[in-house]
Amino acid sequence: MAFQFSERARELQRRVKHFIDTEIVPQEAAYKEEVDAARRAGNAFIVPQTMERLKAKAKEAGLWNLFLPESGHGAGLSNLEYAPLCELMGRVPIASEVFNCSAPDTGNMETLVRYASPAIQATWLEPLLAGEIRSAFAMTEPDVASSDATNITASIVRDGDEYVINGRKWFTSGAADPRCKVMIFMGKTDPDNPERHRQQSMIVVPIDTPGVTIVRDMHVFGYDDAPHGHAEVLFENVRVPLDHILLGEGRGFEIAQGRLGPGRIHHCMRLIGRAEMALEAMCRRTLERVAFGRKVADQGVWRERIAESRILIDQARLMVLNAAHMMDTVGNKVAAREIAMIKVIAPNMACKVIDWAIQAHGGAGVSQDFGLAQAYASARSLRLADGPDEVHRNAIAKLELAQYR
């Protein structure tokens, strides 16, 4: 299938690439040093001023909230039109946030646009859209197999004109960021409902509500991912008003499906951008280095890996664009198989390509100097985030088998 982009979409691709090359890349080192200096001082969870300056420039350039489709708040791009922009952002770790297009804020904003009351939108959606605050998504729990989200034990109990929330969450991305002011929390409002997917609800929780405690920052392969991070959060008798429930009791899974489909497209396209950068680094390194009397790039094993990397990246990109096209044309439900497939394909592809790039760099590849080790850690964690490979493979198989039952 030939994916055709409008002139407006192609122009946005050009503008985003130019902004990344001329504004973001030159500031990468300054951003890193700002966070590292804060880490050396004892707390890396700060508000990086480099980032805030870049965000202001992106907003002024009109490159802002590009992810929101047909909502009146963003660029109004389709999933297919946004996908190449997401790939460009994935090439540089800090780029997505610069354009106010980073997770979990994107998914949270889409959720609030679709399902929140006007009052909640005014309080939380508007400052998120403006990039004035950040948010978190609290779903995964340490005490259960969260790959089956019906296992979650956190409770949301109605008490008069309030809900009372109790539970422990972890890998709550963004909760440790000092700019994080609000969370979307998933818990059970009806644990005895025989329909297991009607037991759960989602609710908006201001992070400064009494009873919310950030227990610790979770590390991923040793990286704290500051100033964003992934926190363990304890909720003890946290009270929020009834109107903070999203869409209604028992509709948490319905919201999740609307939220996670586009988010998976975003993750996958960012991974493709990251893999492209790894392949570029692999090619440059093997052309620069000589081993056993000839350039590394002239050795058969590296030509094999470089060729295989190009094949894998292009295959993944076409699969993701196809999934995005189907979401736009036939909807997320019909595109469920394609969404599940890309969620398996893209992280595995990125892990392989980045691993080969690390191997091409030797010891330097696992150091802090080239960004490959952290890129691998990020790609590997995405084989778990938004559902592990096994869950998606199971869903694909069920859909396939259904044709023959």
Side-chain angles (χ1 to χ4, degrees):
M1 178 179 290
F3 298 107
Q4 300 295 323
F5 298 100
S6 66
E7 177 53 38
R8 176 169 177 264
R10 291 196 296 271
E11 176 61 19
L12 277 171
Q13 291 173 31
R14 290 190 288 268
R15 290 173 59 201
V16 166
K17 185 179 186 304
H18 179 74
F19 192 96
I20 290 171
D21 291 343
T22 61
E23 298 287 353
I24 300 177
V25 171
Q27 293 299 314
E28 270 193 287
Y31 175 90
K32 185 175 184 299
E33 176 52 33
E34 192 175 349
V35 176
D36 286 347
R39 183 177 288 109
R40 291 192 295 271
N43 179 20
F45 290 90
I46 59 165
V47 177
Q49 293 309 302
T50 303
M51 175 59 68
E52 297 306 307
R53 287 192 291 271
L54 286 169
K55 284 164 59 178
K57 287 186 176 182
K59 189 185 291 189
E60 185 179 348
L63 300 173
W64 194 251
N65 292 334
L66 300 170
F67 68 96
L68 274 171
E70 299 177 7
S71 67
H73 297 285
L77 300 175
S78 67
N79 286 296
L80 180 61
E81 290 174 321
Y82 177 62
L85 305 182
C86 213
E87 178 181 340
L88 289 168
M89 295 177 205
R91 294 172 63 91
V92 182
I94 65 172
S96 293
E97 185 182 348
V98 170
F99 301 107
N100 210 36
C101 291
S102 58
D105 295 336
T106 49
N108 286 343
M109 282 188 268
E110 286 190 274
T111 299
L112 294 175
V113 164
R114 294 181 186 183
Y115 308 120
S117 68
I120 293 296
Q121 289 180 349
T123 304
W124 300 116
L125 176 61
E126 294 304 327
L128 279 168
L129 288 167
E132 297 165 357
I133 64 172
R134 296 208 64 185
S135 62
F137 183 63
M139 182 174 178
T140 304
E141 297 180 9
D143 297 328
V144 297
S146 295
S147 56
D148 177 0
T150 63
N151 282 338
I152 64 171
T153 60
S155 65
I156 305 171
V157 178
R158 183 167 181 166
D159 181 24
D161 59 356
E162 294 178 317
Y163 285 107
V164 182
I165 299 167
N166 283 281
R168 183 182 293 267
K169 302 287 186 178
W170 70 347
F171 292 102
T172 301
S173 296
D177 191 316
R179 297 163 295 183
C180 180
K181 303 301 180 187
V182 66
M183 292 183 282
I184 294 178
F185 176 99
M186 187 165 180
K188 288 188 175 177
T189 45
D190 187 7
D192 299 320
N193 193 316
E195 209 177 325
R196 295 179 70 213
H197 291 85
R198 298 287 294 177
Q199 297 175 355
Q200 301 79 12
S201 302
M202 288 195 190
I203 193 165
V204 174
V205 182
I207 202 167
D208 61 358
T209 307
V212 177
T213 303
I214 306 297
V215 178
R216 58 173 174 159
D217 310 313
M218 303 298 301
H219 290 191
V220 177
F221 288 94
Y223 293 101
D224 61 12
D225 285 337
H228 183 58
H230 317 277
E232 180 175 350
V233 188
L234 181 62
F235 298 81
E236 297 177 292
N237 297 318
V238 177
R239 291 181 170 271
V240 297
L242 293 181
D243 67 354
H244 283 44
I245 203 84
L246 294 173
L247 196 58
E249 291 187 14
R251 304 184 73 175
F253 267 87
E254 183 181 342
I255 296 170
Q257 291 312 305
R259 182 187 194 280
L260 292 174
R264 286 169 181 152
I265 293 283
H266 303 171
H267 276 318
C268 291
M269 289 305 291
R270 281 193 290 265
L271 283 167
I272 290 166
R274 198 164 294 154
E276 284 283 10
M277 289 297 285
L279 176 56
E280 180 180 325
M282 191 193 318
C283 291
R284 293 184 185 280
R285 186 75 170 188
T286 56
L287 285 168
E288 291 169 355
R289 295 294 165 121
V290 174
F292 305 104
R294 56 181 175 157
K295 286 184 177 179
V296 173
D298 292 334
Q299 298 178 16
V301 66
W302 284 106
R303 292 195 173 186
E304 179 77 14
R305 287 171 177 172
I306 288 167
E308 186 68 11
S309 295
R310 170 49 58 209
I311 292 167
L312 291 171
I313 291 171
D314 285 3
Q315 283 177 337
R317 180 184 293 109
L318 288 169
M319 288 289 288
V320 178
L321 291 176
N322 180 59
H325 170 71
M326 288 190 65
M327 289 168 64
D328 291 334
T329 55
V330 297
N332 293 11
K333 188 172 182 179
V334 177
R337 181 179 60 177
E338 284 69 23
I339 295 169
M341 286 194 292
I342 64 169
K343 186 55 180 61
V344 175
I345 289 167
N348 280 278
M349 173 279 296
C351 282
K352 181 170 282 191
V353 174
I354 296 167
D355 182 65
W356 282 335
I358 289 171
Q359 199 72 9
H361 284 71
V366 295
S367 75
Q368 70 269 43
D369 290 350
F370 290 85
L372 291 168
Q374 190 163 7
Y376 182 86
S378 175
R380 182 61 183 83
S381 68
L382 283 170
R383 289 186 56 200
L384 297 166
D386 287 356
D389 291 356
E390 293 80 3
V391 168
H392 293 295
R393 289 184 190 276
N394 183 59
I396 295 163
K398 285 168 67 176
L399 289 166
E400 197 69 18
L401 288 166
Q403 301 175 70
Y404 305 97
R405 294 196 188 281

